[in-house]
Amino acid sequence: QLGLGASPMCDRDATNTPQMQMGFIDFVIVPFYASLLRLFPSGLAPLATNLEANYKYYATLRMAEAPDETEKLQANIAKLAAALA
């Protein structure tokens, strides 16, 4: 209505959703969850499990789009698991 373009993360046509989701998880969610898990290790374990499953889901989508990134994405999955352990 105002003639403004969509912001880069909200542009449905230009945004790579798997890449954006993994970036958000890496830079916002993992540090936050890692802190919470240190405070409440057993009570919040399901959060870590679900986060890792979500990350793997988006990594799998990204691997289908860019098979040459598979090794890097697998390393990122291992890094995420270690950060939440």
Side-chain angles (χ1 to χ4, degrees):
Q1 292 177 359
L2 297 175
L4 301 174
S7 66
M9 292 181 71
C10 296
D11 186 351
R12 293 180 186 164
D13 298 323
T15 300
N16 183 308
T17 302
Q19 195 169 359
M20 296 297 280
Q21 290 295 331
M22 289 187 304
F24 182 75
I25 290 170
D26 285 336
F27 295 107
V28 177
I29 303 301
V30 170
F32 177 65
Y33 275 27
S35 296
L36 284 177
L37 289 167
R38 276 189 296 250
L39 294 171
F40 310 104
S42 60
L44 299 179
L47 291 177
T49 302
N50 290 336
L51 180 61
E52 191 170 350
N54 287 339
Y55 196 87
K56 286 179 182 178
Y57 169 76
Y58 286 112
T60 301
L61 292 178
R62 183 64 185 153
M63 286 179 215
E65 295 174 355
D68 57 314
E69 294 182 19
T70 298
E71 190 174 315
K72 175 186 165 195
L73 291 167
Q74 289 173 338
N76 288 351
I77 291 168
K79 181 179 168 184
L80 176 125
L84 298 176

